[in-house]
Amino acid sequence: MQKIKSATDYRNELESRGALPEGFSTGFTGLTFSPTELGSDQVMEMNLSMLMLDKPTTVFAGTFTKNLFPGAPVLLCRKRLENDRFRGIIINNKIANVCIETGVEDSEELLKAAAVQLGCSPDELMASSTGVIGWRLPVNEMINALPSAVESLRSNSRRNAVELAERIMTTDSFPKLRSRSVCGGRITAVAKGAGMIEPNMATMLCFIITDLSISRDELREMLPPIVGETFNRISVDSDQSTSDMVIAASSDRKPCADKAEFRKALYEVCSELAEDIVRNGEGTGHVIRVTVDGAASVEEASAIGKALVNSPLVKTAIAGNDPNVGRFASSIGDYCGNNGIKLPVDKMEISLGGELIFSGGGFCMTPAKEFRLAAYLSECGTIPEHKGWPVHEKTVNIDINIGMGNSRSTILGSDLTHEYVRENADYRT
Amino acid sequence: MQKIKSATDYRNELESRGALPEGFSTGFTGLTFSPTELGSDQVMEMNLSMLMLDKPTTVFAGTFTKNLFPGAPVLLCRKRLENDRFRGIIINNKIANVCIETGVEDSEELLKAAAVQLGCSPDELMASSTGVIGWRLPVNEMINALPSAVESLRSNSRRNAVELAERIMTTDSFPKLRSRSVCGGRITAVAKGAGMIEPNMATMLCFIITDLSISRDELREMLPPIVGETFNRISVDSDQSTSDMVIAASSDRKPCADKAEFRKALYEVCSELAEDIVRNGEGTGHVIRVTVDGAASVEEASAIGKALVNSPLVKTAIAGNDPNVGRFASSIGDYCGNNGIKLPVDKMEISLGGELIFSGGGFCMTPAKEFRLAAYLSECGTIPEHKGWPVHEKTVNIDINIGMGNSRSTILGSDLTHEYVRENADYRT
């Protein structure tokens, strides 16, 4: 439970990470509106953020939620990916624009008005929304707020992505920003959200920008597998939002001599943001890192890891600093038994915090080991009511070898605490 | 939140349901032991229960967990099902006898000693255990307690299954017993557990007895699909225990003129017990009944229903009496999108408590409907801290038609409350 980092430390860290790559600017404004669904006496505030390139680029890529009810911005961005040029993205919080008859039209109307202000084609703009599902965007109020956002964009004196990371937050508990200096250029990325963990506020959004010159095809080839190995291997509460998206773009300013180095840096940025998202989950007390090795395929290893981190019994045991190892084995056995995976139980090994807890077909626990593991869990935890900066970067490490093959996958998850229930059940009561 | 039933009412109801079919007796005793895993200064109490036929029968059947790490009793009972004759089952709580090297030998030693006392072959006996995973059975102490259990069995004056329903409980909050008088005979069944919801205490156990004459083959043909449509369609916390079992036996005393009637009664008994188990779940405030219609197959309908009742966001919304309908649609879209089900969104309809909330591709909510649905959820709930008898039999009804085919399935689940986290995380803190 030690705090190894203060809020000031964390903010300084973000500032030092946050420099914008060349060729990008950000702009912001706020506005108020009354959701038509609630009536005019309810006034809410919305943030409008712009992340823009100084000149249009051909180098951009995106990956989106597989949810069958994607938000209008997801539908719109998917189409815009087919276009030749990309100039930037307009991001709002509070309303996700999902399952609304006029959803796509509403987003398009906003982009059309923004294009006039920015002097570009609406086809070069994307939209990204996060918030309540089933409410309509206040398009008129958003359009009225555009001039102030554009003014902020043009003055763009700060050249640091920290404000973007903050402005796109909904109920996130801290801004999430990661970067790498690589090959003489930069990759800077911000993210918000924690799966669908938040009350009514859906969506993980991630925006990745770089000034390094790689080709459109290279970026589009790199991004999906990296997202697959990072953001798609986290699970806060097993729910996938209707609006999840990752957008990447390059301003194409600096030659990139080593594509492998670039790829590695992109992977690291995504991997760190994915962990930040889990750590940020409402009510997260412990971040759980499960590595499943010895599987027949990466998919199998990932599925077993997800079964473990999504088991409410495993999640609550870890929340309570309880090395209840029977639950680990049971959740693995449940998944394998129901999915036809004939795991050789006598070859399986499970470790918690580096200590072997299951081997040779059975548990190898002693009262002394129980005591050590309870202390380990306690040491890796944060008080889940903590609402500010992340106080440490510790994880609860569970390592499993299922003794069947050579494939491996690491999954990140979070525990299940009172704070989670408080955020998601006590919302309106 | 009305209480429509008192504890006395509930007990009287159980008594009136509980008459044993002809040809069966029950016996009970208690014992104390020190788990070798904790050391000799820890003393625990265990219940030993016997459910026996007066004479061996050939008519018995069983279904078991698909967990890949089944308990020793599951391994043993699966083998015993191949035998010709069945005389009864010996049931203990506190230790589940799972992942122990000597597990099957331990159970066999107990049955051998019991067979001597009962004057039968050990091959005619089954064992059933529930409790901590990874601890060893106190076989000596259990053997020493057998004479007292057999004495209680022989005096068997009460001829009511209520005591069996109570004695097999672990942290269940009320005994679960259902029955039917049918074709001039009886079906009586007891169950314990709520999936793996309880701290350390795994296992759903169900024992079904009848005096009606059906054949061994008929019973074995009937039981699995009925279990598939009842117990396999509930999900308290999506975890399947290592020890789940349903055992059925007939004393073959009374001719059964109408097999269809018998099947219907067997289905009803299982269906009611399945619902009792969900209602009994620790921390359950609302029982959720999701009916998915219009699916391409029953399996697809069941999977969509389970995705909904296992979504932590749906579970917490219902716990908070919050008709957060966006979460319903999102969890369906998440499952279908990730499993290649091309659901026609514009044809889908969702109702909550009989009120249409999604139709024609979007939500149809109004402030007045929101208010009515919040009141409906509140009306269907029980204070989750309530620890005694079930105060009502209300369910939160969610009806979905996905407009693809003609198959249908009903899934029962429970909400996710602070009480659940308290039971499962605060266990050792």
Side-chain angles (χ1 to χ4, degrees):
Chain A
M1 304 281 185
Q2 331 157 253
K3 295 186 180 174
I4 61 166
K5 225 185 270 178
S6 71
T8 315
D9 285 349
Y10 183 63
R11 175 158 289 276
N12 289 340
E13 228 172 72
L14 287 189
E15 290 281 346
S16 74
R17 282 180 204 157
L20 287 178
E22 276 183 34
F24 289 90
S25 330
T26 53
F28 310 99
T29 193
L31 58 107
T32 59
F33 68 103
S34 297
T36 47
E37 291 77 6
L38 292 189
S40 61
D41 53 330
Q42 292 265 6
V43 177
M44 299 183 75
E45 291 182 0
M46 177 182 276
N47 265 338
L48 205 62
S49 305
M50 289 184 167
L51 172 60
M52 303 297 296
L53 286 118
D54 301 346
K55 290 184 297 188
T57 184
T58 59
V59 186
F60 60 105
T63 68
F64 303 95
T65 180
K66 287 185 189 154
N67 195 303
L68 206 68
F69 306 121
V74 168
L75 296 171
L76 185 141
C77 289
R78 270 190 195 137
K79 263 195 100 179
R80 291 286 204 270
L81 271 191
E82 295 162 19
N83 295 349
D84 290 336
R85 289 149 50 111
F86 173 67
R87 185 66 190 277
I89 188 156
I90 297 175
I91 309 150
N92 72 275
N93 63 356
K94 288 297 157 73
I95 293 187
N97 193 9
V98 176
C99 288
I100 293 297
E101 228 184 309
T102 57
V104 175
E105 286 162 57
D106 290 346
S107 288
E108 277 175 347
E109 198 182 330
L110 175 70
L111 295 189
K112 226 173 268 178
V116 172
Q117 304 263 338
L118 292 161
C120 68
S121 156
D123 288 343
E124 297 170 11
L125 297 177
M126 291 193 194
S128 180
S129 302
T130 168
V132 177
I133 296 177
W135 287 3
R136 196 174 168 185
L137 276 190
V139 182
N140 290 336
E141 291 86 340
M142 293 169 81
I143 289 177
N144 291 339
L146 283 172
S148 141
V150 172
E151 198 188 309
S152 145
L153 180 78
R154 290 195 173 137
S155 70
N156 180 41
S157 49
R158 215 159 147 259
R159 305 214 43 76
N160 194 299
V162 173
E163 190 172 355
L164 181 65
E166 274 182 307
R167 289 278 196 154
I168 61 174
M169 285 167 60
T170 51
T171 58
D172 302 59
S173 51
F174 52 82
K176 286 165 283 295
L177 192 169
R178 296 282 176 169
S179 64
R180 282 290 185 285
S181 290
V182 60
C183 302
R186 277 188 77 67
I187 301 175
T188 302
V190 298
K192 73 144 290 253
M196 262 197 74
I197 198 178
E198 300 151 294
N200 256 332
M201 308 292 175
T203 304
M204 182 201 92
L205 303 180
C206 175
F207 307 109
I208 306 167
I209 54 179
T210 182
D211 41 23
L212 286 159
S213 294
I214 55 161
S215 76
R216 177 183 176 111
D217 286 352
E218 282 167 338
L219 186 63
R220 291 188 176 200
E221 210 179 286
M222 260 178 218
L223 190 67
I226 288 181
V227 169
E229 286 170 34
T230 56
F231 297 112
N232 290 352
R233 292 208 183 147
I234 64 176
S235 180
V236 173
D237 56 5
S238 73
D239 277 305
Q240 180 185 226
S241 140
T242 50
S243 309
D244 297 332
M245 62 165 73
V246 178
I247 300 287
S250 163
S251 59
D252 212 2
R253 294 282 179 97
K254 298 179 173 177
C256 179
D258 187 338
K259 298 290 157 62
E261 271 301 296
F262 178 87
R263 193 194 192 285
K264 180 167 168 282
L266 184 62
Y267 173 84
E268 287 168 359
V269 163
C270 290
S271 174
E272 288 171 4
L273 278 178
E275 185 172 328
D276 288 341
I277 284 171
V278 176
R279 196 169 299 279
N280 164 87
E282 300 276 346
T284 296
H286 298 80
V287 175
I288 308 167
R289 183 190 301 277
V290 181
T291 300
V292 179
D293 208 338
S297 68
V298 173
E299 291 67 34
E300 185 181 280
S302 298
I304 292 171
K306 282 204 174 167
L308 192 79
V309 300
N310 284 332
S311 156
L313 287 168
V314 170
K315 287 161 82 86
T316 46
I318 290 175
N321 297 318
D322 178 6
N324 194 330
V325 297
R327 294 183 182 177
F328 297 1
S330 180
S331 74
I332 299 166
D334 183 2
Y335 180 81
C336 292
N338 281 289
N339 288 277
I341 301 173
K342 305 227 173 303
L343 188 155
V345 179
D346 54 321
K347 283 191 194 158
M348 183 173 77
E349 293 195 335
I350 309 177
S351 298
L352 172 61
E355 290 216 51
L356 203 61
I357 57 173
F358 188 101
S359 174
F363 293 99
C364 42
M365 296 298 287
T366 62
K369 200 185 279 186
E370 283 250 340
F371 186 83
R372 280 198 304 277
L373 289 174
Y376 166 73
L377 290 175
S378 171
E379 174 64 22
C380 294
T382 306
I383 306 153
E385 283 80 5
H386 176 82
K387 283 289 186 192
W389 65 99
V391 296
H392 59 65
E393 299 202 340
K394 292 178 186 168
T395 58
V396 173
N397 296 317
I398 302 174
D399 293 288
I400 302 163
N401 194 312
I402 63 169
M404 293 180 77
N406 298 309
S407 295
R408 170 193 174 100
S409 176
T410 296
I411 299 290
L412 293 178
S414 73
D415 57 359
L416 173 56
T417 63
H418 285 296
E419 193 55 25
Y420 178 85
V421 177
R422 195 144 32 231
E423 286 290 328
N424 286 290
D426 299 353
Y427 179 48
R428 286 159 53 132
T429 50
Chain B
M1 300 281 187
Q2 329 156 254
K3 294 184 179 175
I4 63 165
K5 228 186 270 177
S6 72
T8 315
D9 285 350
Y10 184 65
R11 175 157 290 277
N12 288 342
E13 230 172 69
L14 287 188
E15 290 282 344
S16 74
R17 285 179 202 156
L20 287 178
E22 274 183 36
F24 289 90
S25 329
T26 54
F28 310 99
T29 193
L31 58 106
T32 61
F33 69 102
S34 297
T36 48
E37 291 76 7
L38 291 188
S40 62
D41 52 332
Q42 292 267 6
V43 177
M44 297 182 76
E45 291 182 0
M46 177 182 277
N47 266 340
L48 206 62
S49 306
M50 289 183 167
L51 172 61
M52 303 297 297
L53 287 119
D54 301 346
K55 291 185 296 189
T57 182
T58 61
V59 186
F60 59 106
T63 69
F64 303 94
T65 180
K66 286 183 188 157
N67 195 302
L68 207 69
F69 307 120
V74 169
L75 296 170
L76 185 141
C77 288
R78 271 191 195 136
K79 265 196 99 176
R80 293 286 204 271
L81 271 192
E82 295 162 20
N83 295 348
D84 291 336
R85 289 150 50 111
F86 173 69
R87 186 65 190 279
I89 188 155
I90 298 175
I91 309 148
N92 73 274
N93 61 358
K94 288 297 156 74
I95 293 186
N97 193 11
V98 177
C99 288
I100 294 296
E101 226 182 310
T102 57
V104 176
E105 287 162 55
D106 290 346
S107 288
E108 277 175 345
E109 198 182 331
L110 174 71
L111 295 189
K112 225 174 268 177
V116 172
Q117 303 263 339
L118 293 161
C120 68
S121 155
D123 288 340
E124 297 170 10
L125 296 177
M126 292 193 194
S128 181
S129 301
T130 168
V132 178
I133 296 176
W135 286 4
R136 196 174 168 183
L137 275 190
V139 182
N140 291 337
E141 291 86 339
M142 292 169 81
I143 289 176
N144 291 338
L146 282 173
S148 142
V150 172
E151 200 188 308
S152 146
L153 180 77
R154 290 198 171 132
S155 70
N156 180 39
S157 48
R158 213 159 147 263
R159 306 214 41 75
N160 193 300
V162 173
E163 190 171 354
L164 181 65
E166 274 181 308
R167 290 278 196 154
I168 61 173
M169 284 166 61
T170 52
T171 57
D172 303 59
S173 51
F174 51 83
K176 285 164 283 295
L177 192 168
R178 296 282 176 168
S179 63
R180 284 288 185 285
S181 290
V182 59
C183 303
R186 275 189 77 70
I187 300 174
T188 302
V190 298
K192 74 145 288 252
M196 263 196 75
I197 197 177
E198 300 150 295
N200 256 332
M201 307 290 175
T203 304
M204 181 201 94
L205 304 179
C206 175
F207 307 110
I208 307 166
I209 52 178
T210 182
D211 41 21
L212 286 158
S213 294
I214 56 160
S215 76
R216 176 184 177 110
D217 287 350
E218 282 166 338
L219 185 63
R220 291 186 176 200
E221 213 178 282
M222 260 179 222
L223 191 66
I226 286 179
V227 169
E229 286 169 35
T230 56
F231 296 113
N232 290 352
R233 294 208 184 146
I234 64 176
S235 179
V236 174
D237 55 4
S238 72
D239 277 306
Q240 180 185 227
S241 141
T242 52
S243 310
D244 297 332
M245 63 164 72
V246 177
I247 299 286
S250 164
S251 60
D252 212 1
R253 294 285 178 92
K254 299 178 173 177
C256 178
D258 187 340
K259 298 290 159 60
E261 271 301 297
F262 178 87
R263 194 195 189 284
K264 179 167 170 280
L266 184 61
Y267 173 85
E268 287 168 357
V269 163
C270 290
S271 175
E272 288 170 4
L273 278 178
E275 184 172 329
D276 287 343
I277 284 171
V278 176
R279 197 170 297 280
N280 165 85
E282 300 276 345
T284 296
H286 298 79
V287 175
I288 307 168
R289 182 190 301 277
V290 180
T291 300
V292 179
D293 209 338
S297 68
V298 173
E299 292 67 33
E300 185 181 280
S302 298
I304 292 172
K306 282 204 173 166
L308 191 81
V309 300
N310 285 332
S311 158
L313 288 169
V314 170
K315 288 161 80 89
T316 47
I318 291 175
N321 297 318
D322 178 5
N324 194 330
V325 297
R327 294 184 182 174
F328 297 2
S330 180
S331 73
I332 299 166
D334 184 3
Y335 180 81
C336 292
N338 280 289
N339 289 277
I341 300 173
K342 303 228 176 300
L343 188 154
V345 178
D346 53 321
K347 283 193 196 158
M348 182 171 79
E349 292 193 335
I350 309 177
S351 298
L352 173 60
E355 291 215 51
L356 202 62
I357 58 172
F358 188 101
S359 174
F363 292 100
C364 41
M365 295 297 287
T366 61
K369 202 187 276 186
E370 283 252 337
F371 187 82
R372 280 197 305 275
L373 290 174
Y376 167 73
L377 290 175
S378 170
E379 175 63 22
C380 295
T382 306
I383 305 154
E385 284 78 6
H386 176 81
K387 282 291 190 194
W389 64 100
V391 295
H392 59 66
E393 299 201 340
K394 292 177 187 167
T395 58
V396 173
N397 296 317
I398 301 173
D399 293 287
I400 302 163
N401 194 312
I402 62 170
M404 294 180 76
N406 298 310
S407 294
R408 173 191 173 102
S409 175
T410 295
I411 299 291
L412 293 178
S414 73
D415 57 0
L416 172 55
T417 63
H418 285 296
E419 192 57 25
Y420 179 85
V421 176
R422 196 145 32 232
E423 286 290 329
N424 286 290
D426 300 351
Y427 179 48
R428 288 159 51 134
T429 49

